[in-house]
């Protein structure tokens, strides 16, 4: 169980199998070469959005991870937490990604996505550098 402090109260989050099943079914993609078969990829999609700093994705992930927890918080509570000027949003993103990187149900997928994003960024930086050198 993971926790974040919201409005002076510790709020629990569970990034286990129930979270994984729920978040995964929200986005699906066709499986290459197999007609009428789709693969649930919601966690991959959500992690990519978190890495991009998407606040709506952050709220969606937290809301899903809080399902079945006590106390159950509302999206309105999450919205107020995000909107609060005292909330360090960068810290919240960092903590949630940290939770996802360490939970048994999610860590493999999350680390794969983070690695893929880092490889793509490195490729893009190398291409940008080559373009700059060619222009000089």
């Amino acid at each position: 169980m993971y926790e974040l402090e919201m409005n002076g109260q510790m709020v629990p989050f569970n990034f286990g199998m129930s979270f994984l099943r729920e978040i995964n079914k929200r986005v699906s993609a066709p499986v290459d070469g197999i007609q009428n078969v789709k693969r649930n990829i919601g966690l991959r999609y959500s992690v990519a959005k978190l890495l991009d700093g998407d606040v709506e994705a952050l709220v969606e992930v937290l809301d899903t991870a809080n399902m079945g927890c006590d106390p159950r918080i509302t999206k309105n509570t999450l919205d107020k937490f995000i909107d609060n000027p005292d909330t360090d949003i960068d810290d919240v993103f960092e903590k949630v990604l940290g939770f996802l990187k360490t939970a048994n149900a999610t860590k493999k997928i999350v680390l794969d996505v983070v690695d893929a994003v880092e490889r793509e960024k490195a490729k893009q930086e190398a291409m940008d550098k080559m373009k700059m050198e060619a222009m000089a």
Side-chain angles (χ1 to χ4, degrees):
M1 192 70 63
Y2 301 90
E3 293 182 322
L4 287 175
E5 185 176 341
M6 294 185 179
N7 305 321
Q9 174 183 5
M10 294 309 287
V11 178
F13 297 94
N14 185 346
F15 293 93
M17 286 304 299
S18 59
F19 165 81
L20 180 61
R21 285 186 193 101
E22 180 63 32
I23 201 90
N24 261 349
K25 71 182 180 183
R26 295 181 183 186
V27 178
S28 60
V31 175
D32 291 338
I34 305 176
Q35 192 173 7
N36 298 322
V37 175
K38 291 187 177 187
R39 179 177 174 208
N40 292 333
I41 60 165
L43 179 61
R44 289 179 185 279
Y45 184 76
S46 294
V47 170
K49 290 179 84 172
L50 289 175
L51 291 170
D52 282 343
D54 187 312
V55 178
E56 283 184 285
L58 177 64
V59 169
E60 204 61 39
V61 165
L62 288 171
D63 182 57
T64 305
N66 183 251
M67 287 181 170
C69 294
D70 185 26
R72 175 71 171 127
I73 55 172
T74 64
K75 277 197 177 180
N76 187 40
T77 301
L78 286 167
D79 290 349
K80 287 179 181 178
F81 172 68
I82 296 298
D83 289 338
N84 185 335
D86 293 330
T87 298
D88 181 347
I89 194 71
D90 295 323
D91 185 56
V92 176
F93 272 105
E94 190 176 307
K95 284 180 180 176
V96 170
L97 283 166
F99 297 161
L100 290 165
K101 288 177 184 177
T102 59
N104 281 341
T106 59
K107 68 181 169 185
K108 175 92 172 88
I109 293 168
V110 173
L111 294 173
D112 286 348
V113 171
V114 169
D115 186 50
V117 167
E118 288 173 356
R119 282 194 316 269
E120 284 302 312
K121 281 184 182 178
K123 280 185 200 175
Q124 186 62 47
E125 288 172 2
M127 287 176 48
D128 291 347
K129 183 178 179 182
M130 285 176 29
K131 286 179 185 177
M132 293 300 281
E133 289 173 353
M135 293 172 57

